[in-house]
Amino acid sequence: MKQFTYLQAIIILHISLLFNACGDKNTNKEENLDDLVVAEISTDYTEQFRPQFHFTPEEKWMNDPNGLVYHQGLYHLFYQYYPDDIVWGPMHWGHAISKDMISWEHKPIALYPDELGYIFSGSAVVDIDNTSGLGTLENPPLVAIFTYHLIEGEKAGKLDFQTQGIAYSLDNGDTWTKYEGNPVIPNDTGIKDFRDPKVYWDEETNQWILILVAGDHAKFYKSDDLKEWSHMSDFGKEHGAHGGVWECPDLFQIKVGETDEEKWVLLISINPGAPNGGSGTQYFVGDFDGKKFTAEHKDHKWLDWGTDNYAGVTYNNTPNNERIFIGWMSNWNYARNTPTSTWRSAMTLPRELSLIKENGHYFLRSNVLEAFNKQLSKVSEQEIVSLESPFELDHGNFNQSEVTFKTNLSKQLKLEFTNNKNEKLVFEIDPANQKMMIDRTASGMVDFEPSFAKGIHSMPYIVSNKEVDVRVIMDWSSVEIFVDNGKYVMTDQIFPTEFYNNLQVSSTNKISLKNFNLNNIKSIWKDE
Ligand code: FRU
């Protein structure tokens, strides 16, 4: 894993600032070179709560993943970034690259605010046919499509302060130039929330499709060249959850299991209004004819019932058309208050989405990418679990536990992680009451914001198989739980003040536990 030294980081920062200062329209008027205090980037990723195998910025504030795109052997991860503080501020696009989406290399900031506004969330595409004319056929441009948020407009009470802009890179994401004709989609809708464009190339209709959100619905646009866009249709006023503003849409076609059937999935994040409070991501399954999205159902489903998977979207241009998802592992209810020191927030592990059909209903499954398995080393594998004695956890909070559980309405499964300070994280499956739960109310530091430890997080669960697999992936400050091959997912942040050192696996009926595996997880930031 390549990491920059302090000196390298400073040199790179200066080069990128100079580059940004050169383009006239692209100059960030708010950042004056003379005023800039270059922060010392000196993390060795050992600060309290620092995730060891989830992406985090070296320092400062991060929110949504942006511009997820694969190009020439590299997976790019851009992200909402504020380089001057560990709370949200004028948004930039931070940047990292990876060959496998597990280990990451940090890159200099990709996009800076300019006179059209802060750089809010959006996506990136490889313009292979150079439809935009911003590159050449030999060297097709990477094009980022994002929202400009003009703070002066917002403060003046205007409604048109969010517009869409583009920027391009001819060196696989290292340097970016903003398009001189920005904004490419001005806001004439009269709706102030008008943001988060996701763009992809539509093979059927041979055009670019862009989906953005406008308050309580999604809007669909088309373009031949990424510069001129025309509005086609809207979706959602009458569909789904409306407890808050719609954000960060995504639209993709996906196969149904191993069949030849294909469906379209529309992801929509919403804040507030998620089932366990605050921010969450709902989805709709249906069809898209190149112009209009039609849902199979009026209601919505939730991608993840934990409280900490928000604004997630999927990669464009993956090598085998895999649908790979990354979400921001936080919640606007308390994102600004979490007890981390030099940085704030992490991304979820990358998850491959697949679609299944059961009894006429479609469900998304989320499964952590196989590449993650290289971080694992086996500690224990047992056929039948002895319930009396807890498992000792001797690798900090960096572990994965897997249980195969024989389901039956009268049996419950409980996993309880504890430490010497009586802090505990409890996960439970209760088939009789058709639910599964995460209780983090006594998991460690919880009182930094009242909503963090408010109640137990639960999700509906219906026994459908004789045996069900449970996979719990724990990092220093998060837990990701996948049940029934990723059909049920819960992601929660946790802040234990000491590592959990015991895991008690229990059930109301001994023989209901089939086998149990415990793995340690290696850090992506160190060679262990
Ligand atoms: C979602 C979001 C987006 C917006 C960005 C601003 O978390 O609110 O809608 O573009 O964050 O940072």
Side-chain angles (χ1 to χ4, degrees):
M1 178 74 231
K2 183 172 177 255
Q3 282 175 35
F4 296 120
T5 62
Y6 173 46
L7 193 66
Q8 281 170 317
I10 298 221
I11 292 167
I12 289 161
L13 199 60
H14 276 287
I15 292 172
S16 81
L17 287 169
L18 277 173
F19 181 85
N20 266 274
C22 290
D24 53 353
K25 192 153 197 208
N26 307 328
T27 309
N28 171 13
K29 293 279 192 287
E30 296 191 14
E31 302 226 27
N32 181 331
L33 266 184
D34 298 335
D35 300 344
L36 241 157
V37 182
V38 180
E40 183 171 342
I41 298 171
S42 59
T43 184
D44 55 3
Y45 300 93
T46 55
E47 304 99 317
Q48 189 183 24
F49 305 130
R50 179 69 96 159
Q52 293 300 303
F53 50 89
H54 286 88
F55 178 80
T56 49
E58 288 172 295
E59 55 161 15
K60 308 301 180 193
W61 169 271
M62 173 178 84
N63 56 289
D64 316 355
N66 295 151
L68 302 184
V69 68
Y70 174 83
H71 189 43
Q72 293 174 345
L74 293 178
Y75 292 90
H76 293 271
L77 166 61
F78 300 90
Y79 51 90
Q80 289 288 277
Y81 188 52
Y82 182 44
D84 292 341
D85 205 342
I86 58 164
V87 290
W88 190 91
M91 283 289 113
H92 300 54
W93 273 26
H95 185 202
I97 52 169
S98 174
K99 292 201 169 112
D100 59 5
M101 291 168 281
I102 303 296
S103 304
W104 295 95
E105 181 186 326
H106 290 285
K107 301 285 281 181
I109 289 172
L111 296 173
Y112 287 76
D114 62 39
E115 69 272 18
L116 293 177
Y118 302 167
I119 315 293
F120 271 23
S121 287
S123 50
V125 295
V126 185
D127 182 11
I128 293 167
D129 294 327
N130 192 30
T131 61
S132 62
L134 297 170
T136 58
L137 275 180
E138 297 70 46
N139 186 23
L142 265 189
V143 180
I145 309 95
F146 52 86
T147 296
Y148 269 122
H149 179 99
L150 190 62
I151 194 75
E152 294 81 1
E154 182 183 21
K155 283 187 182 147
K158 294 194 169 165
L159 295 177
D160 59 357
F161 58 87
Q162 293 193 335
T163 59
Q164 321 310 317
I166 63 176
Y168 61 98
S169 168
L170 300 176
D171 53 9
N172 202 4
D174 283 350
T175 56
W176 290 84
T177 308
K178 305 232 182 75
Y179 172 55
E180 59 194 11
N182 279 338
V184 291
I185 309 185
N187 185 355
D188 56 7
T189 61
I191 302 168
K192 70 181 173 56
D193 296 298
F194 183 68
R195 57 178 178 266
D196 306 341
K198 171 76 191 232
V199 175
Y200 72 93
W201 176 255
D202 193 77
E203 298 281 348
E204 291 282 307
T205 55
N206 252 318
Q207 60 190 352
W208 298 104
I209 303 285
L210 179 151
I211 309 106
L212 56 73
V213 276
D216 61 355
H217 65 277
K219 288 189 175 293
F220 296 77
Y221 294 76
K222 67 172 179 181
S223 171
D224 291 328
D225 60 5
L226 294 164
K227 297 171 180 164
E228 278 191 34
W229 293 93
S230 51
H231 175 235
M232 297 189 293
S233 63
D234 292 349
F235 170 85
K237 279 199 170 127
E238 314 288 324
H239 289 81
H242 284 283
V245 180
W246 282 22
E247 297 188 316
C248 300
D250 195 357
L251 175 72
F252 51 86
Q253 193 173 26
I254 191 164
K255 264 172 115 65
V256 182
E258 297 304 309
T259 69
D260 289 336
E261 190 187 358
E262 296 204 290
K263 289 309 260 183
W264 287 82
V265 173
L266 179 66
L267 300 182
I268 300 280
S269 283
I270 178 171
N271 177 61
N276 283 299
S279 321
T281 301
Q282 56 183 322
Y283 67 92
F284 303 91
V285 180
D287 288 302
F288 181 67
D289 63 5
K291 289 191 185 126
K292 202 173 162 22
F293 178 78
T294 323
E296 294 262 329
H297 45 94
K298 247 195 150 36
D299 58 338
H300 55 283
K301 296 180 168 115
W302 296 101
L303 187 67
D304 187 321
W305 283 70
T307 47
D308 295 288
N309 180 359
Y310 191 59
V313 283
T314 64
Y315 268 89
N316 274 329
N317 205 38
T318 51
N320 302 305
N321 210 19
E322 306 94 325
R323 215 18 85 182
I324 302 169
F325 169 97
I326 294 182
W328 172 45
M329 207 154 44
S330 199
N331 188 310
W332 281 115
N333 269 355
Y334 44 74
R336 306 162 187 87
N337 312 96
T338 54
T340 56
S341 51
T342 54
W343 88 102
R344 256 211 194 100
S345 298
M347 295 299 178
T348 64
L349 284 174
R351 302 169 181 185
E352 180 159 0
L353 302 183
S354 53
L355 191 69
I356 49 165
K357 191 177 186 179
E358 280 179 2
N359 306 323
H361 297 285
Y362 297 95
F363 296 95
L364 278 180
R365 284 195 139 128
S366 306
N367 279 297
V368 173
L369 294 193
E370 277 224 10
F372 174 66
N373 294 345
K374 73 174 165 35
Q375 300 304 120
L376 303 175
S377 57
K378 193 155 279 175
V379 177
S380 160
E381 182 167 8
Q382 308 204 5
E383 286 272 304
I384 308 282
V385 182
S386 137
L387 300 172
E388 284 75 32
S389 50
F391 294 91
E392 250 180 62
L393 305 172
D394 60 4
H395 190 62
N397 260 38
F398 317 113
N399 57 68
Q400 168 182 286
S401 18
E402 290 169 307
V403 185
T404 315
F405 170 57
K406 288 193 202 161
T407 49
N408 165 319
L409 283 187
S410 66
K411 294 167 186 165
Q412 268 168 276
L413 171 72
K414 196 170 176 183
L415 269 72
E416 205 167 336
F417 294 82
T418 51
N419 64 16
N420 298 335
K421 289 195 169 167
N422 283 331
E423 295 170 344
K424 61 177 179 182
L425 177 82
V426 187
F427 172 67
E428 217 170 321
I429 302 186
D430 181 356
N433 291 308
Q434 302 198 333
K435 58 182 182 179
M436 55 179 69
M437 292 153 281
I438 295 184
D439 182 353
R440 68 171 177 193
T441 55
S443 57
M445 283 181 84
V446 295
D447 58 0
F448 48 87
E449 207 284 333
S451 65
F452 184 79
K454 203 170 143 224
I456 291 172
H457 302 154
S458 74
M459 101 171 264
Y461 169 74
I462 293 171
V463 175
S464 57
N465 293 331
K466 285 218 175 78
E467 272 179 22
V468 67
D469 52 273
V470 179
R471 183 180 189 189
V472 180
I473 302 177
M474 185 176 277
D475 202 335
W476 200 333
S477 47
S478 64
V479 60
E480 290 166 282
I481 302 181
F482 304 88
V483 174
D484 200 0
N485 197 14
K487 184 174 163 195
Y488 301 89
V489 187
M490 296 184 91
T491 305
D492 268 16
Q493 288 187 86
I494 44 170
F495 299 96
T497 63
E498 234 178 45
F499 291 137
Y500 300 125
N501 52 5
N502 270 303
L503 167 59
Q504 178 81 54
V505 182
S506 56
S507 165
T508 37
N509 183 326
K510 277 192 187 192
I511 54 156
S512 64
L513 297 177
K514 215 183 144 214
N515 55 35
F516 173 79
N517 294 332
L518 183 65
N519 282 276
N520 288 340
I521 307 177
K522 276 189 288 200
S523 172
I524 56 172
W525 305 117
K526 311 186 208 47
D527 298 322
E528 284 187 13

